[in-house]
Amino acid sequence: MVKRPAKADFPVSNVRRYLEPGPIVLVSSRWRGQDNVMTLGWHTLLEFTPALIGLMIAGGNHSFDMVRDSGACIGNTSGAAVDKFARFGLTAGQGAVVDVPLIEECHACFECRLHDDAMVDRYNLFVFEVVKAHMAPVPRHPRTLHYTGDGVFMTAGKAISRRSKFRPELLD
Amino acid sequence: MVKRPAKADFPVSNVRRYLEPGPIVLVSSRWRGQDNVMTLGWHTLLEFTPALIGLMIAGGNHSFDMVRDSGACIGNTSGAAVDKFARFGLTAGQGAVVDVPLIEECHACFECRLHDDAMVDRYNLFVFEVVKAHMAPVPRHPRTLHYTGDGVFMTAGKAISRRSKFRPELLD
C-alpha cells in the first residue's frame, strides 16, 4: 500500500518550495458530485502574496470543464505520481476550504480557488490562488517527478544549499 | 574555463523537453546597445505550435523594461547557471532571428519574440513565441538546476523512460 503521510498546515506564501522546481502535479476537481484527477506539468508561480499560480489545462480534458465550472481545484504534489496513478487507487480526502477531494497519498496538497479566468479562452491558462496548503513535514525536499515529453520522466536529484552565499535580500 | 558546447537546430515545437521539467533559465535581453542577463524560475509552457511559453519577470528587474521595450529575449538553459553566474564570464553569441545575445556556455538557447503582453500589467507575465532553438546534441537530458527558494537548489536526477508503457496517442 502507498502511504498517506500525515500533513500539517503550511504557509501558502511558501508553496514555491514545492512548485517552483517544476514537478508534475495531480490536479483534482469536483463538480456536481463527480470527482476527477489529472496530471499536469504546465504550471508556474505568479505571485507570493496572494499566492497565485498559473495552470495550463488543455481544453480537451474533462478536468477543464470541471475546474472552470466549479472555480476550484487542488494541486497535489507526489513523489511517484505516474506509477501510483497506473497501479494504485488514490484516497480522496476532504479539502478544508474548497469542496474538492485532496489526494491523501500525496506529499502536499494545495487548495486552490479560481482567481482569474481572463486567459482561459486564449491560452487555457487558469490563475488560481492557493488558499490553503497541507504539507507532510518530512522529507523537506521530496523526490518529485518531472516530465520531459515523449514518455520520459526526470526525477528530482539532491538538494544543494547555497544559502550561506546569498545575501539576505536575495532570500525571498 | 566553462565549455561552450556546439549546438544544432532543434524543433521549437519540442522545447518542452528542456523547459517542462522546470529548470532555472537565464534570460538574456538587449535594448539600445545594452545587454542584460537574469535568472528566472517562474515559467510555463503554453502551447506546442506556435511554441508559446509564459515568463513571469518581476517588475523590479532591469530586464523587465528591456524585454518589454525590445519585445524579445533568449532563454538559455544551463547545467550550472548559478555558479557560472557568480564565478565566470558568459560569452555572448548572436541570435539568428532576434537581436539578442545568446549565452554560448549554455546547453540550449531559445530565441523568443514577444507574442502577447496582455498579462504584463497584471501579472508581469510575458507570453513569448520560441522562434528558433539551438541545442547541444549531448547530453540528451542535461543536469539542470531548479530553485526551491530560500537559497536551496534542486538538481535534476536521472531520466526514467516509461515510453514502452505509453500508448502512442499519449506521446505528444
Side-chain angles (χ1 to χ4, degrees), chain A residues 72-101:
Chain A
C73 73
I74 293 187
N76 304 269
T77 71
S78 165
V82 172
D83 282 349
K84 278 181 196 169
F85 231 46
R87 297 182 192 166
F88 307 109
L90 300 172
T91 307
Q94 180 59 42
V97 178
V98 300
D99 181 25
V100 177

Side-chain angles (χ1 to χ4, degrees), chain B residues 52-161:
Chain B
L52 299 182
I53 59 176
L55 306 184
M56 202 299 284
I57 301 176
N61 279 295
H62 186 48
S63 295
F64 176 92
D65 293 325
M66 295 178 64
V67 167
R68 191 186 52 190
D69 293 339
S70 69
C73 73
I74 293 188
N76 304 268
T77 71
S78 166
V82 172
D83 282 348
K84 278 179 195 169
F85 229 46
R87 296 182 192 167
F88 305 110
L90 299 172
T91 307
Q94 181 59 42
V97 178
V98 299
D99 181 26
V100 178
L102 49 81
I103 299 172
E104 294 192 352
E105 286 80 4
C106 285
H107 178 83
C109 301
F110 304 131
E111 300 189 38
C112 298
R113 188 175 283 145
L114 187 58
H115 177 81
D116 189 345
D117 64 1
M119 279 97 70
V120 171
D121 285 347
R122 186 176 286 188
Y123 298 109
N124 293 328
L125 183 70
F126 295 78
V127 177
F128 282 98
E129 179 180 356
V130 182
V131 291
K132 179 84 175 171
H134 312 261
M135 184 74 55
V138 290
R140 186 177 171 92
H141 296 285
R143 193 153 168 262
T144 45
L145 277 175
H146 303 245
Y147 194 48
T148 75
D150 213 26
V152 178
F153 297 82
M154 182 271 281
T155 58
K158 64 178 179 179
I160 298 177
S161 177

Side-chain angles (χ1 to χ4, degrees), chain A residues 55 65 78 112 129 139 145 148 170:
Chain A
L55 306 184
D65 294 324
S78 165
C112 298
E129 180 181 355
L145 277 176
T148 75
L170 295 177

